[in-house]
Every structure is written in C-alpha cells, then in structure tokens.
mmCIF file of all heavy atoms in Angstrom:
data_model
loop_
_atom_site.group_PDB
_atom_site.id
_atom_site.type_symbol
_atom_site.label_atom_id
_atom_site.label_comp_id
_atom_site.label_asym_id
_atom_site.label_seq_id
_atom_site.Cartn_x
_atom_site.Cartn_y
_atom_site.Cartn_z
ATOM 1 N N ASN A 58 18.083 11.342 -5.201
ATOM 2 C CA ASN A 58 18.238 12.719 -4.815
ATOM 3 C C ASN A 58 17.168 13.720 -5.311
ATOM 4 O O ASN A 58 16.936 14.779 -4.696
ATOM 5 C CB ASN A 58 19.602 13.318 -5.396
ATOM 6 C CG ASN A 58 20.784 12.576 -4.747
ATOM 7 O OD1 ASN A 58 20.784 12.219 -3.547
ATOM 8 N ND2 ASN A 58 21.778 12.232 -5.603
ATOM 9 N N ASN A 59 16.437 13.340 -6.320
ATOM 10 C CA ASN A 59 15.410 14.080 -6.873
ATOM 11 C C ASN A 59 14.143 14.029 -5.971
ATOM 12 O O ASN A 59 13.559 13.016 -5.846
ATOM 13 C CB ASN A 59 15.087 13.652 -8.347
ATOM 14 C CG ASN A 59 14.139 14.680 -9.025
ATOM 15 O OD1 ASN A 59 13.084 14.885 -8.563
ATOM 16 N ND2 ASN A 59 14.550 15.137 -10.176
ATOM 17 N N GLU A 60 13.743 15.231 -5.410
ATOM 18 C CA GLU A 60 12.621 15.248 -4.472
ATOM 19 C C GLU A 60 11.236 14.892 -5.182
ATOM 20 O O GLU A 60 10.425 14.287 -4.621
ATOM 21 C CB GLU A 60 12.464 16.678 -3.854
ATOM 22 C CG GLU A 60 11.518 16.712 -2.676
ATOM 23 C CD GLU A 60 11.856 15.819 -1.558
ATOM 24 O OE1 GLU A 60 13.106 15.561 -1.314
ATOM 25 O OE2 GLU A 60 10.956 15.246 -0.898
ATOM 26 N N LYS A 61 11.201 15.258 -6.437
ATOM 27 C CA LYS A 61 9.951 14.935 -7.146
ATOM 28 C C LYS A 61 9.803 13.396 -7.358
ATOM 29 O O LYS A 61 8.692 12.888 -7.073
ATOM 30 C CB LYS A 61 9.977 15.576 -8.558
ATOM 31 C CG LYS A 61 8.698 15.411 -9.409
ATOM 32 C CD LYS A 61 8.787 16.132 -10.667
ATOM 33 C CE LYS A 61 7.483 15.947 -11.515
ATOM 34 N NZ LYS A 61 7.602 16.637 -12.834
ATOM 35 N N ASN A 62 10.863 12.803 -7.613
ATOM 36 C CA ASN A 62 10.896 11.271 -7.806
ATOM 37 C C ASN A 62 10.637 10.642 -6.434
ATOM 38 O O ASN A 62 9.941 9.617 -6.338
ATOM 39 C CB ASN A 62 12.139 10.806 -8.354
ATOM 40 C CG ASN A 62 12.272 11.148 -9.819
ATOM 41 O OD1 ASN A 62 11.340 11.299 -10.539
ATOM 42 N ND2 ASN A 62 13.538 11.132 -10.304
ATOM 43 N N ARG A 63 11.149 11.230 -5.347
ATOM 44 C CA ARG A 63 10.978 10.679 -4.008
ATOM 45 C C ARG A 63 9.576 10.736 -3.565
ATOM 46 O O ARG A 63 8.919 9.830 -3.098
ATOM 47 C CB ARG A 63 11.823 11.473 -3.006
ATOM 48 C CG ARG A 63 13.368 11.177 -3.073
ATOM 49 C CD ARG A 63 14.056 12.065 -2.040
ATOM 50 N NE ARG A 63 13.635 11.785 -0.677
ATOM 51 C CZ ARG A 63 13.964 10.771 0.048
ATOM 52 N NH1 ARG A 63 14.846 9.941 -0.368
ATOM 53 N NH2 ARG A 63 13.505 10.658 1.233
ATOM 54 N N ASN A 64 8.877 11.858 -3.896
ATOM 55 C CA ASN A 64 7.431 12.032 -3.566
ATOM 56 C C ASN A 64 6.605 11.047 -4.349
ATOM 57 O O ASN A 64 5.614 10.572 -3.822
ATOM 58 C CB ASN A 64 7.045 13.429 -3.869
ATOM 59 C CG ASN A 64 7.542 14.454 -2.827
ATOM 60 O OD1 ASN A 64 7.846 14.079 -1.676
ATOM 61 N ND2 ASN A 64 7.720 15.677 -3.255
ATOM 62 N N LYS A 65 6.991 10.855 -5.649
ATOM 63 C CA LYS A 65 6.159 9.881 -6.510
ATOM 64 C C LYS A 65 6.330 8.416 -5.988
ATOM 65 O O LYS A 65 5.354 7.770 -5.846
ATOM 66 C CB LYS A 65 6.815 9.975 -7.962
ATOM 67 C CG LYS A 65 5.916 9.228 -8.985
ATOM 68 C CD LYS A 65 6.554 9.294 -10.408
ATOM 69 C CE LYS A 65 6.605 10.683 -10.848
ATOM 70 N NZ LYS A 65 7.087 10.862 -12.230
ATOM 71 N N LEU A 66 7.550 8.104 -5.545
ATOM 72 C CA LEU A 66 7.753 6.737 -5.045
ATOM 73 C C LEU A 66 7.024 6.573 -3.627
ATOM 74 O O LEU A 66 6.510 5.491 -3.411
ATOM 75 C CB LEU A 66 9.268 6.476 -4.853
ATOM 76 C CG LEU A 66 10.114 6.257 -6.136
ATOM 77 C CD1 LEU A 66 11.584 6.257 -5.852
ATOM 78 C CD2 LEU A 66 9.726 4.961 -6.867
ATOM 79 N N ARG A 67 7.106 7.586 -2.824
ATOM 80 C CA ARG A 67 6.367 7.522 -1.520
ATOM 81 C C ARG A 67 4.890 7.363 -1.771
ATOM 82 O O ARG A 67 4.277 6.569 -1.092
ATOM 83 C CB ARG A 67 6.674 8.850 -0.776
ATOM 84 C CG ARG A 67 6.091 8.805 0.698
ATOM 85 C CD ARG A 67 6.360 10.050 1.441
ATOM 86 N NE ARG A 67 7.819 10.390 1.590
ATOM 87 C CZ ARG A 67 8.372 11.348 1.025
ATOM 88 N NH1 ARG A 67 7.881 12.158 0.222
ATOM 89 N NH2 ARG A 67 9.773 11.446 1.229
ATOM 90 N N LYS A 68 4.273 8.083 -2.757
ATOM 91 C CA LYS A 68 2.906 7.995 -2.993
ATOM 92 C C LYS A 68 2.546 6.588 -3.431
ATOM 93 O O LYS A 68 1.501 6.025 -3.030
ATOM 94 C CB LYS A 68 2.540 8.982 -4.038
ATOM 95 C CG LYS A 68 0.964 8.979 -4.329
ATOM 96 C CD LYS A 68 0.691 10.053 -5.446
ATOM 97 C CE LYS A 68 -0.831 10.087 -5.771
ATOM 98 N NZ LYS A 68 -1.108 11.080 -6.800
ATOM 99 N N LYS A 69 3.352 5.954 -4.321
ATOM 100 C CA LYS A 69 3.141 4.622 -4.828
ATOM 101 C C LYS A 69 3.226 3.632 -3.689
ATOM 102 O O LYS A 69 2.513 2.569 -3.674
ATOM 103 C CB LYS A 69 4.110 4.275 -6.023
ATOM 104 C CG LYS A 69 3.851 5.072 -7.227
ATOM 105 C CD LYS A 69 4.718 4.697 -8.377
ATOM 106 C CE LYS A 69 4.388 5.445 -9.650
ATOM 107 N NZ LYS A 69 5.306 5.116 -10.805
ATOM 108 N N ALA A 70 4.172 3.866 -2.791
ATOM 109 C CA ALA A 70 4.384 2.969 -1.607
ATOM 110 C C ALA A 70 3.102 2.994 -0.765
ATOM 111 O O ALA A 70 2.666 1.922 -0.241
ATOM 112 C CB ALA A 70 5.547 3.412 -0.760
ATOM 113 N N PHE A 71 2.525 4.169 -0.506
ATOM 114 C CA PHE A 71 1.285 4.242 0.225
ATOM 115 C C PHE A 71 0.144 3.503 -0.446
ATOM 116 O O PHE A 71 -0.645 2.769 0.174
ATOM 117 C CB PHE A 71 0.895 5.823 0.397
ATOM 118 C CG PHE A 71 1.448 6.358 1.590
ATOM 119 C CD1 PHE A 71 2.248 7.476 1.480
ATOM 120 C CD2 PHE A 71 1.122 5.898 2.895
ATOM 121 C CE1 PHE A 71 2.787 8.230 2.601
ATOM 122 C CE2 PHE A 71 1.671 6.500 4.025
ATOM 123 C CZ PHE A 71 2.516 7.669 3.894
ATOM 124 N N ILE A 72 0.064 3.699 -1.751
ATOM 125 C CA ILE A 72 -1.014 2.995 -2.538
ATOM 126 C C ILE A 72 -0.858 1.514 -2.478
ATOM 127 O O ILE A 72 -1.807 0.809 -2.198
ATOM 128 C CB ILE A 72 -0.967 3.489 -4.078
ATOM 129 C CG1 ILE A 72 -1.311 4.965 -4.232
ATOM 130 C CG2 ILE A 72 -1.842 2.579 -4.832
ATOM 131 C CD1 ILE A 72 -1.129 5.543 -5.601
ATOM 132 N N LEU A 73 0.398 0.962 -2.582
ATOM 133 C CA LEU A 73 0.607 -0.406 -2.572
ATOM 134 C C LEU A 73 0.302 -0.926 -1.159
ATOM 135 O O LEU A 73 -0.319 -2.041 -1.015
ATOM 136 C CB LEU A 73 2.079 -0.754 -2.874
ATOM 137 C CG LEU A 73 2.472 -2.192 -2.912
ATOM 138 C CD1 LEU A 73 1.616 -2.965 -3.929
ATOM 139 C CD2 LEU A 73 3.972 -2.445 -3.262
ATOM 140 N N LEU A 74 0.720 -0.229 -0.091
ATOM 141 C CA LEU A 74 0.336 -0.641 1.281
ATOM 142 C C LEU A 74 -1.151 -0.694 1.519
ATOM 143 O O LEU A 74 -1.707 -1.653 2.117
ATOM 144 C CB LEU A 74 1.046 0.291 2.323
ATOM 145 C CG LEU A 74 0.746 -0.040 3.808
ATOM 146 C CD1 LEU A 74 1.167 -1.483 4.121
ATOM 147 C CD2 LEU A 74 1.449 0.919 4.749
ATOM 148 N N ASN A 75 -1.845 0.328 0.991
ATOM 149 C CA ASN A 75 -3.347 0.284 1.064
ATOM 150 C C ASN A 75 -3.939 -0.921 0.340
ATOM 151 O O ASN A 75 -4.906 -1.546 0.902
ATOM 152 C CB ASN A 75 -3.926 1.577 0.340
ATOM 153 C CG ASN A 75 -3.620 2.807 1.219
ATOM 154 O OD1 ASN A 75 -3.350 2.766 2.353
ATOM 155 N ND2 ASN A 75 -3.643 3.948 0.553
ATOM 156 N N ILE A 76 -3.347 -1.298 -0.821
ATOM 157 C CA ILE A 76 -3.804 -2.521 -1.468
ATOM 158 C C ILE A 76 -3.522 -3.748 -0.636
ATOM 159 O O ILE A 76 -4.449 -4.659 -0.535
ATOM 160 C CB ILE A 76 -3.051 -2.669 -2.882
ATOM 161 C CG1 ILE A 76 -3.530 -1.552 -3.815
ATOM 162 C CG2 ILE A 76 -3.397 -3.989 -3.494
ATOM 163 C CD1 ILE A 76 -2.750 -1.412 -5.098
ATOM 164 N N TYR A 77 -2.378 -3.875 -0.008
ATOM 165 C CA TYR A 77 -2.108 -4.951 0.844
ATOM 166 C C TYR A 77 -3.116 -5.020 2.015
ATOM 167 O O TYR A 77 -3.509 -6.144 2.407
ATOM 168 C CB TYR A 77 -0.627 -4.809 1.434
ATOM 169 C CG TYR A 77 0.474 -5.127 0.452
ATOM 170 C CD1 TYR A 77 1.781 -4.682 0.711
ATOM 171 C CD2 TYR A 77 0.239 -5.891 -0.668
ATOM 172 C CE1 TYR A 77 2.830 -4.907 -0.162
ATOM 173 C CE2 TYR A 77 1.285 -6.229 -1.493
ATOM 174 C CZ TYR A 77 2.493 -5.716 -1.284
ATOM 175 O OH TYR A 77 3.604 -6.012 -2.177
ATOM 176 N N VAL A 78 -3.391 -3.956 2.654
ATOM 177 C CA VAL A 78 -4.295 -3.870 3.735
ATOM 178 C C VAL A 78 -5.707 -4.403 3.346
ATOM 179 O O VAL A 78 -6.355 -5.150 3.992
ATOM 180 C CB VAL A 78 -4.396 -2.466 4.322
ATOM 181 C CG1 VAL A 78 -5.594 -2.351 5.386
ATOM 182 C CG2 VAL A 78 -3.092 -2.015 4.977
ATOM 183 N N ILE A 79 -6.154 -3.962 2.152
ATOM 184 C CA ILE A 79 -7.458 -4.422 1.623
ATOM 185 C C ILE A 79 -7.518 -5.901 1.442
ATOM 186 O O ILE A 79 -8.419 -6.610 1.768
ATOM 187 C CB ILE A 79 -7.792 -3.624 0.276
ATOM 188 C CG1 ILE A 79 -8.032 -2.137 0.556
ATOM 189 C CG2 ILE A 79 -9.023 -4.202 -0.355
ATOM 190 C CD1 ILE A 79 -8.218 -1.326 -0.622
ATOM 191 N N LEU A 80 -6.352 -6.344 0.797
ATOM 192 C CA LEU A 80 -6.232 -7.818 0.562
ATOM 193 C C LEU A 80 -6.270 -8.648 1.910
ATOM 194 O O LEU A 80 -6.926 -9.683 1.976
ATOM 195 C CB LEU A 80 -4.958 -8.191 -0.225
ATOM 196 C CG LEU A 80 -4.966 -7.759 -1.654
ATOM 197 C CD1 LEU A 80 -3.535 -7.980 -2.319
ATOM 198 C CD2 LEU A 80 -5.982 -8.550 -2.461
ATOM 199 N N ILE A 81 -5.535 -8.098 2.841
ATOM 200 C CA ILE A 81 -5.489 -8.777 4.194
ATOM 201 C C ILE A 81 -6.910 -8.783 4.807
ATOM 202 O O ILE A 81 -7.293 -9.856 5.368
ATOM 203 C CB ILE A 81 -4.466 -8.087 5.046
ATOM 204 C CG1 ILE A 81 -3.017 -8.429 4.626
ATOM 205 C CG2 ILE A 81 -4.582 -8.618 6.565
ATOM 206 C CD1 ILE A 81 -1.987 -7.581 5.261
ATOM 207 N N ILE A 82 -7.619 -7.723 4.781
ATOM 208 C CA ILE A 82 -8.949 -7.635 5.346
ATOM 209 C C ILE A 82 -9.872 -8.623 4.654
ATOM 210 O O ILE A 82 -10.584 -9.370 5.280
ATOM 211 C CB ILE A 82 -9.534 -6.195 5.247
ATOM 212 C CG1 ILE A 82 -8.812 -5.264 6.057
ATOM 213 C CG2 ILE A 82 -11.026 -6.194 5.506
ATOM 214 C CD1 ILE A 82 -9.075 -3.795 5.868
ATOM 215 N N ILE A 83 -9.797 -8.731 3.293
ATOM 216 C CA ILE A 83 -10.655 -9.730 2.476
ATOM 217 C C ILE A 83 -10.273 -11.086 2.921
ATOM 218 O O ILE A 83 -11.152 -11.939 3.136
ATOM 219 C CB ILE A 83 -10.404 -9.476 1.012
ATOM 220 C CG1 ILE A 83 -10.960 -8.174 0.505
ATOM 221 C CG2 ILE A 83 -11.048 -10.611 0.232
ATOM 222 C CD1 ILE A 83 -10.611 -7.776 -0.893
ATOM 223 N N LEU A 84 -8.942 -11.369 3.140
ATOM 224 C CA LEU A 84 -8.529 -12.718 3.502
ATOM 225 C C LEU A 84 -9.069 -13.067 4.921
ATOM 226 O O LEU A 84 -9.388 -14.212 5.214
ATOM 227 C CB LEU A 84 -7.055 -12.819 3.434
ATOM 228 C CG LEU A 84 -6.449 -12.915 2.060
ATOM 229 C CD1 LEU A 84 -4.963 -12.655 2.118
ATOM 230 C CD2 LEU A 84 -6.704 -14.198 1.401
ATOM 231 N N TYR A 85 -9.038 -11.995 5.834
ATOM 232 C CA TYR A 85 -9.614 -12.222 7.196
ATOM 233 C C TYR A 85 -11.025 -12.630 7.154
ATOM 234 O O TYR A 85 -11.508 -13.550 7.821
ATOM 235 C CB TYR A 85 -9.456 -10.965 8.003
ATOM 236 C CG TYR A 85 -8.137 -10.867 8.831
ATOM 237 C CD1 TYR A 85 -7.202 -9.979 8.552
ATOM 238 C CD2 TYR A 85 -7.955 -11.728 9.906
ATOM 239 C CE1 TYR A 85 -6.050 -9.847 9.270
ATOM 240 C CE2 TYR A 85 -6.740 -11.695 10.627
ATOM 241 C CZ TYR A 85 -5.833 -10.734 10.313
ATOM 242 O OH TYR A 85 -4.676 -10.651 11.088
ATOM 243 N N ILE A 86 -11.866 -11.937 6.253
ATOM 244 C CA ILE A 86 -13.231 -12.277 6.136
ATOM 245 C C ILE A 86 -13.459 -13.647 5.668
ATOM 246 O O ILE A 86 -14.252 -14.418 6.112
ATOM 247 C CB ILE A 86 -13.895 -11.254 5.182
ATOM 248 C CG1 ILE A 86 -13.914 -9.825 5.843
ATOM 249 C CG2 ILE A 86 -15.352 -11.681 4.916
ATOM 250 C CD1 ILE A 86 -14.316 -8.739 4.905
ATOM 251 N N ILE A 87 -12.636 -14.064 4.639
ATOM 252 C CA ILE A 87 -12.743 -15.414 4.080
ATOM 253 C C ILE A 87 -12.387 -16.401 5.089
ATOM 254 O O ILE A 87 -13.029 -17.512 5.287
ATOM 255 C CB ILE A 87 -11.738 -15.559 2.836
ATOM 256 C CG1 ILE A 87 -12.247 -14.682 1.650
ATOM 257 C CG2 ILE A 87 -11.622 -17.004 2.429
ATOM 258 C CD1 ILE A 87 -11.281 -14.611 0.566
ATOM 259 N N TYR A 88 -11.340 -16.130 5.950
ATOM 260 C CA TYR A 88 -10.989 -17.115 6.946
ATOM 261 C C TYR A 88 -12.060 -17.249 8.036
ATOM 262 O O TYR A 88 -12.359 -18.433 8.426
ATOM 263 C CB TYR A 88 -9.651 -16.654 7.641
ATOM 264 C CG TYR A 88 -9.282 -17.597 8.840
ATOM 265 C CD1 TYR A 88 -8.609 -18.715 8.537
ATOM 266 C CD2 TYR A 88 -9.563 -17.240 10.128
ATOM 267 C CE1 TYR A 88 -8.327 -19.647 9.534
ATOM 268 C CE2 TYR A 88 -9.215 -18.116 11.161
ATOM 269 C CZ TYR A 88 -8.649 -19.316 10.904
ATOM 270 O OH TYR A 88 -8.289 -20.161 11.859
ATOM 271 N N TYR A 89 -12.645 -16.203 8.490
ATOM 272 C CA TYR A 89 -13.769 -16.259 9.503
ATOM 273 C C TYR A 89 -14.971 -17.043 8.943
ATOM 274 O O TYR A 89 -15.655 -17.663 9.720
ATOM 275 C CB TYR A 89 -14.131 -14.876 9.924
ATOM 276 C CG TYR A 89 -13.334 -14.269 11.065
ATOM 277 C CD1 TYR A 89 -12.481 -13.266 10.810
ATOM 278 C CD2 TYR A 89 -13.405 -14.854 12.301
ATOM 279 C CE1 TYR A 89 -11.670 -12.797 11.894
ATOM 280 C CE2 TYR A 89 -12.660 -14.440 13.345
ATOM 281 C CZ TYR A 89 -11.762 -13.311 13.172
ATOM 282 O OH TYR A 89 -10.992 -12.866 14.175
#
C-alpha cells in the first residue's frame, strides 16, 4: 500500500530487467 515502497520496487524491477537484457545480448554475441 505504501507508494514510496511501490516506486522503489518498480525501479529495482526496471534495473533487474535491464541487467537481464544486457546478459541476453552478451549471450547472443557469444552464440553468434
């Protein structure tokens, strides 16, 4: 219910997704 905590979790989710995307791109390069 706390909006401050929600924003903090949303920000961390974005950061984690960005990390996943970077890892996937690196793996694509390795595969090619």
Side-chain angles (χ1 to χ4, degrees):
N58 295 322
N59 189 301
E60 191 60 33
K61 184 178 180 181
N62 289 338
R63 287 178 58 82
N64 289 333
K65 191 182 294 184
L66 288 170
R67 187 181 296 112
K68 183 178 180 181
K69 288 181 178 180
F71 271 121
I72 292 170
L73 184 58
L74 181 56
N75 290 338
I76 292 171
Y77 284 160
V78 171
I79 292 168
L80 287 174
I81 290 170
I82 291 171
I83 292 170
L84 288 168
Y85 267 115
I86 294 169
I87 293 172
Y88 177 78
Y89 273 111

